[in-house]
Each structure stands twice: as C-alpha cells, then as structure tokens.
C-alpha cells in the first residue's frame, strides 16, 4: 500500500480523527498560538501540513491576515475549506515553499508533519523553510518523542510515519539546516480546568521517576521530556556579520 493511497483516504479512514475545528485539540492549539506566534496581526505565517485547518482557523479568527497552508491530503484540504479556511492548497510542502520568496515569511508551522518524511525530503523542507524565513524568523515544530514513555504509540500510530525524534536528533536536524536558539518543550497536559489540573499534577508526579533515571544514566541529556510528543521552536540563524 503506497503512502499516496493512505493520504488520499486520510479523513475517510479515520486517521485524521475529528476534523471539526470546534473540538479536539483546541486547547493545545490555543497554547501554541498564545505562547509562540507574534502578536502583530500582519505576521506572515505558513502552515505546512495544515490538515483540516485547525491552526489556520484559530489564527484567522484572531485577526491574522497573512496566513496560508498546504497539505498533501486532498481530503484534509477539503475539510479545511469546509471549516471556512481559505488560502489552503493541496500539494507537497517542499514544492509549495519553492514558490515563496526568500526572507518573506515570519513563522513556519510544522505541526505533526516532518515525521512523515524520509530524511532527504526532511532536510530539503527544513532548508527551504530556512530560506523563506526572514532574519530572526521562527519555525514551530511538533513531533513524536522517541524519548517519551509512550512515544512509540505515536510513532507507530500512523502508517505514514517514518520516524520519531529524540531531543538530540531534532536539534541535530535543525542546526544542520541553519537554525539556532532551539528550545524543546515537554508536551504536558494543558491546564484549563479542575480535571486538567489533576491530570497535570499526576503527570508531574508519575514522570518524576523516569526523569530521575534518565538523569542518572545520561546527566548530559539535552531534555528530560517524557511526553508522547515534543514541541520545538527554532530561529533562523543570522548571517555572518549580522549577529
């Protein structure tokens, strides 16, 4: 079975889950937008692997005007359009970026996309993302965490996934493709009420033991994130003489 067939039926197979922007991961979406997207409404944003438009919809609803996205699954693109999201295109991320001018973009979103790529394509997409970003532009990435307690649940939860990432390997990838100021965040339960607060407290307590074990075995570890996924931000490295 080819990846193309899997992408063709990404929504109808149930892999995309609930494609309504009013449900599902809105708490996580709001967290990322609140914390990592510049407040200026003219910020130029590209959402690679935009899926059914959950991030784009949130950004547009907040008044961001310069937002566009691309996804390899035509079903996902159709779902995004049904959700009222315009400026969403069907195609390969790499080819989409090739049509963008150098230094013309402020933020590139890569939420749950690069784990689907083979290494050669991944390097090309990150390289193109670096090219289109303005100086100091930001890349925001969300990927399966190979170090996480249940990271393999995500890695093998989708037949189109190629890999998971450890904090060290994602840093290697980003530095190789011209990024700096790399920050890695544990994808902890987001607190938005009493129940989620309880989940967050349990998470902090239960993960303390494996974090201590990792500290004992690998005191020089880059990150002690134990979540299924990790969130990463990275900045386009300034050219020599401009730092």
């Amino acid at each position: 079975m080819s990846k193309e067939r899997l992408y063709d039926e990404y929504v109808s197979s149930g892999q995309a889950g609930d494609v309504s922007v009013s449900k599902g991961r809105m708490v996580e979406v709001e967290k990322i937008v609140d914390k990592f997207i510049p407040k200026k409404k003219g910020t130029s944003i590209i959402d690679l692997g935009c899926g059914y438009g959950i991030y784009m919809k949130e950004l547009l609803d907040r008044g961001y005007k310069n937002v566009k996205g691309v996804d390899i699954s035509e079903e996902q693109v159709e779902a995004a359009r049904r959700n009222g999201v315009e400026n969403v295109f069907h195609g390969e991320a790499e080819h989409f970026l090739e049509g963008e001018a150098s230094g013309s973009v402020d933020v590139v979103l890569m939420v749950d996309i690069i784990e689907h790529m083979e290494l050669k394509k991944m390097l090309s997409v990150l390289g193109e993302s670096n090219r289109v970003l303005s100086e100091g532009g930001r890349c925001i990435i969300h990927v399966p965490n190979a170090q996480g307690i249940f990271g393999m649940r995500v890695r093998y939860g989708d037949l189109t996934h190629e890999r998971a990432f450890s904090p060290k390997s994602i840093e290697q990838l980003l530095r190789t493709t011209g990024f700096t100021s790399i920050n890695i965040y544990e994808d902890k339960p987001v607190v938005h009420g009493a129940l989620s607060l309880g989940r967050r407290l349990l998470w902090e307590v239960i993960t303390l033991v494996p974090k201590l074990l990792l500290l004992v075995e690998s005191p020089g570890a880059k990150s002690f994130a134990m979540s299924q996924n990790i969130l990463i931000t990275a900045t386009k490295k300034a050219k020599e003489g401009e730092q």
Side-chain angles (χ1 to χ4, degrees):
M1 181 181 290
S2 68
K3 273 193 174 185
E4 287 75 17
R5 180 175 177 185
L6 291 168
Y7 289 135
D8 286 345
E9 300 180 28
Y10 209 76
V11 175
S12 56
S13 69
Q15 186 61 41
D18 182 359
V19 295
S20 168
V21 296
S22 61
K23 299 179 181 178
R25 300 182 302 160
M26 286 310 300
V27 171
E28 287 78 12
V29 172
E30 290 164 0
K31 175 191 73 174
I32 290 176
V33 173
D34 287 339
K35 190 169 183 179
F36 300 112
I37 301 293
K39 304 304 180 186
K40 185 179 178 182
K41 301 306 180 183
T43 299
S44 174
I45 304 167
I46 290 180
D47 188 355
L48 299 180
C50 63
Y52 53 92
I54 189 169
Y55 283 87
M56 292 182 68
K57 177 69 172 174
E58 179 67 17
L59 289 164
L60 292 168
D61 286 349
R62 292 190 184 204
Y64 290 89
K65 305 296 184 184
N66 195 1
V67 182
K68 52 188 170 183
V70 61
D71 200 278
I72 197 171
S73 168
E74 192 165 5
E75 282 193 340
Q76 292 264 61
V77 170
E78 290 171 357
R81 290 171 178 161
R82 288 197 300 273
N83 286 325
V85 177
E86 302 295 333
N87 262 5
V88 55
F89 304 92
H90 174 231
E92 295 267 0
E94 182 180 10
H95 297 157
F96 182 82
L97 289 169
E98 288 171 354
E100 299 295 315
S102 298
S104 63
V105 180
D106 300 307
V107 176
V108 175
L109 276 170
M110 296 186 185
V111 178
D112 305 330
I113 175 175
I114 63 172
E115 64 268 24
H116 296 261
M117 300 175 182
E118 295 179 353
L119 182 58
K120 183 178 179 180
K121 178 174 286 188
M122 193 189 311
L123 288 165
S124 179
V125 168
L126 265 297
E128 277 296 297
S129 296
N130 188 280
R131 179 187 65 80
V132 304
L133 280 170
S134 57
E135 293 299 328
R138 176 179 291 172
C139 195
I140 302 171
I141 300 170
H142 189 262
V143 291
N145 180 17
Q147 180 177 278
I149 299 171
F150 298 110
M152 293 303 98
R153 176 179 177 273
V154 179
R155 161 64 179 90
Y156 292 105
D158 188 331
L159 293 174
T160 64
H161 285 176
E162 294 288 337
R163 71 189 68 238
F165 297 83
S166 72
K168 188 173 182 179
S169 68
I170 194 69
E171 183 173 355
Q172 178 187 18
L173 174 66
L174 288 166
R175 292 199 184 281
T176 299
T177 49
F179 289 92
T180 188
S181 301
I182 299 164
N183 295 293
I184 298 168
Y185 301 90
E186 191 171 40
D187 202 6
K188 302 177 182 181
V190 180
V191 177
H192 56 94
L195 183 59
S196 60
L197 175 59
R199 291 176 59 230
R200 176 64 169 271
L201 291 173
L202 280 171
W203 171 262
E204 298 290 359
V205 172
I206 293 169
T207 58
L208 182 59
V209 171
K211 287 177 181 178
L212 287 172
L213 287 172
L214 180 59
L215 176 62
V216 170
E217 184 178 19
S218 305
K222 292 287 186 180
S223 166
F224 292 89
M226 291 292 147
S227 49
Q228 296 181 83
N229 298 287
I230 45 176
L231 179 68
I232 307 100
T233 62
T235 303
K236 179 174 181 175
K237 186 176 181 180
K239 295 178 181 178
E240 292 294 330
E242 296 182 7
Q243 298 182 12

